[in-house]
Amino acid sequence: MPSVRSFTVLPALPEALKDLEAIARNMYWSWNPECVELFERIDNKRWKSSGHNPVKLLGSVSQRKLELLAENQAFLHELQRVAQALKRYLEGPTWFEKVCSKHGKPTIAYFSAEFGIHECLPVYSGGLGVLAGDHLKSASDLGIPLVGIGLMYQKGYFRQHLNIDGWQQEVYVDNDVYNMPLELVREESGGPLSIGVDYPERCVRAQIWCVHVGRVKLYLLDTNIPANSPGARMITSSLYGGDRELRIRQEIMLGIGGLKALKAMGVEPTVCHMNEGHAAFMALERIGHLRATKGMTFDEALEATRAGNVFTVHTLVKAGLDEFSVELMDKYFASYFPHLGIDRKHFLSLGRILPDDENESFKMPVLALKLSAYANGVSKLHAKVSRELWGNLWPGVPADEVPIKSITNGVHAKTWLAPEIADLFDRYLGPTWPDALHDKSVWANMEQVPEEELWRSHQRCKEQLVVFARNRIKAQMKRRGTYHSELNRAEEVLDPDVLTIGFARRFASYKRGDLILRDADRLITLLTDADRPIQLVFAGKAHPKDTEGKDIIRNIVRFAERDEIHRRVVFLEDYDIDVARVLVRGVDVWLNNPRRPMEASGTSGMKAAMNGVLNLSTLDGWWCEGYHADGGWSIGGGETYQDPDYHDMIECQALYKLLENEIIPLFYTRSADNLPRAWIRRMKNSIRTIAPEFNTNRMVAEYTRRFYNPAAARWRYLAAEAMTRAKAISKWKGEIRAAWPQFQIKDVIMELEVEGERVPLDPKQSQIKAGTELTVRALVGLGSFEQSQVSVELYHGPLDTWGNIIEGMAEQMTYERAEDEGGNHWFSSQVSCAKTGRQGVAVRVLPRYPDLVHPHEMGLILWEDKP
């Protein structure tokens, strides 16, 4: 091979157009339509062919065209207006400065394996990445001091083509990083800054790309550089591709390399947020760094770093949970144990539910949960299921007390809102509505929006969807070699006046993409009704190794090819952010039918609702919280079934009944002026109730208040005075953990007050009148420990048929006195027996220390032994 010397050619913009470069290289443009319109004015055809990439657009426009633009006063005026808007945005006051200034200014590092900011930066696959992208955008809007850390994949996620049989084909296309809105992080000397991460065979180098997302910076690590071996260059080759070994190599680079990259750039994170378990190795590197720089033990460094770690758990599907064999962990971490100051057994126990089970694999979510003080699910139902799924990490703790909270996902409103709908909001909600997304009183003004204007705006979005789908279908047909004479069929698909249902997401089996096809004859009747037809638009990808998901796609494609319905059912290939934008704005109904409770949250329905699209969904994920009877529809009542086929049959029938009896009649019932006024009122209700709750501004503000600020304060508190408090809590935990097996609940006495005297309750005659005060006294043996170091609690509530307390409440018992000098102490509490029925009480002991984040963080709980 010849020696190649590389260099980068940049567009030579005339002086009058210099602001174009700054606008193009800040992803702020991706959620501000006036910026997009500016790029479209340069060359609309090239804008589309560039994949809506402004950097590539500017590099492809002729010098003559740029010179003409530099003399076009109308264009220059618009350029100046957009540049000033960007400047005001970057320099203006922020929510964080106004509300959180007393908390100081921490640095939050947000780690994610994928970021879906815009289709021109394809380092995402689906919902997880789009959520991460929306998280960064809202952090920018609110002024949160946050940086993102991910990987710069050479090929990104695959491009999807369907063959003539409807089978998904994966095509991997190299990203042209030098024509993307990102730039290399450089050293003072001008060369690219790089970091090294140790792997078994050698040290792997990674350079760092920076993406400006408004006020926030996203850093992406890239191993595809000449300094690395061919194998090392493949680490950041593609997203979710390859085998388990490539996955662990990627996650080492993301977690360990990501933290090294931040430190190499002089960024010292106060709080580290792991979006799913892919980045959990970061928590180990954070411990190792503290040990190396502060001379701390593993346990001491763990206490300090854990205080500043946040973990968001997502998938509940086993196939989506990252875990690695013991053999892989030995291969990649055998030399890492000394860096942490622990042995192999201790290390492997960090990723196991059962620490001593030598056959259990190493689970990344377990590692993240054990090394994070703050953890959350992404909807209320998801957090509940997650507490049940991971509850064994806190043995003996009631499921509803397992320390996994809920912060329900949202979407970035300005990214997903159609300009036509945004214009209505500007006129009727007020121009400052984007700054008050969470304010329900602002959204109450939806009543002021004229029904005819809302419908007209929606119809324009729908017409755009029809044009987009026809062009997409025609391109798909050409790629498959369809005869030219048949291409005209693409011009016949979809009708803007027909009730349009959209379904677009990852094609995993539990999402049941073909549920609506289960009774094909019944569906065909609905599709071909002469007076009130419906039409379906599908899109989405299956994982390359998911043959069941690919089968679902093929079933849909084959169904759509039937002659009698080909105009009414379409599948749009290569689902990405661009396709998603058009769909969530243009359909009438958004269909979502996962098997409860498998959906963590789901955000596509939120995007649709922002645009007045009505949701039709099973009660799973976010829809359990978002559903209102006057703003959408629920498929079933949230039931679960043991038999999945029966489950599918029941909910399929419920889906058809809703369509036949409610949705279709409501859509086609028109007033004298041909408006579906009852439907439009439901659109308004949906926007009014969903928009203020399910947006990422609310979500990120909630993370900031509940997790980021407390975690930052706790990190600073423990790290102060040369880490003395971190060392102290580590020492105390070690002492109480060693003594815990000797603690005992020696006696529990229940007493009633009868005629002014306390009378013991006879266990054989345990019937109490409502309103009676019950006193519970407990004798607890603590040995040499002070009673102030534990919390003795009375746990009480109704009993189930198995004699277990459900919906229990815990109350701290009052310390009475020492029984003797042997470390035995009496505690007491009163319970008002207000509710009738079978009730129960239980006494428990928990560790208590001022610096604990929550009482269950040690996983220690002592219950009274059964008599």
Side-chain angles (χ1 to χ4, degrees), residues 458-466 496 498 500 586 588 667:
H458 173 67
Q459 280 299 107
R460 281 201 294 271
C461 294
K462 198 171 176 182
E463 288 160 3
Q464 291 166 16
L465 166 62
V466 171
V498 170
T500 306
D588 298 303
F667 180 84

Side-chain angles (χ1 to χ4, degrees), residues 725-739:
R725 294 190 184 95
K727 293 175 180 178
I729 190 174
S730 175
K731 181 175 180 291
W732 177 83
K733 281 187 173 182
E735 291 171 350
I736 202 162
R737 190 173 276 114

Side-chain angles (χ1 to χ4, degrees), residues 380 383-391 399-400 402 404-405:
K380 290 179 180 177
K384 177 179 182 295
V385 177
S386 295
R387 287 191 288 269
E388 295 168 355
L389 179 65
W390 302 114
D400 58 351
V402 168
I404 300 176
K405 308 301 183 183

Side-chain angles (χ1 to χ4, degrees), residues 316-342:
L316 297 171
V317 183
K318 181 173 174 56
L321 295 174
D322 263 352
E323 51 186 302
F324 300 109
S325 68
V326 173
E327 291 74 20
L328 271 180
M329 296 306 297
D330 281 339
K331 177 176 178 179
Y332 283 92
F333 285 93
S335 61
Y336 197 76
F337 308 153
H339 179 59
L340 299 175
I342 56 176

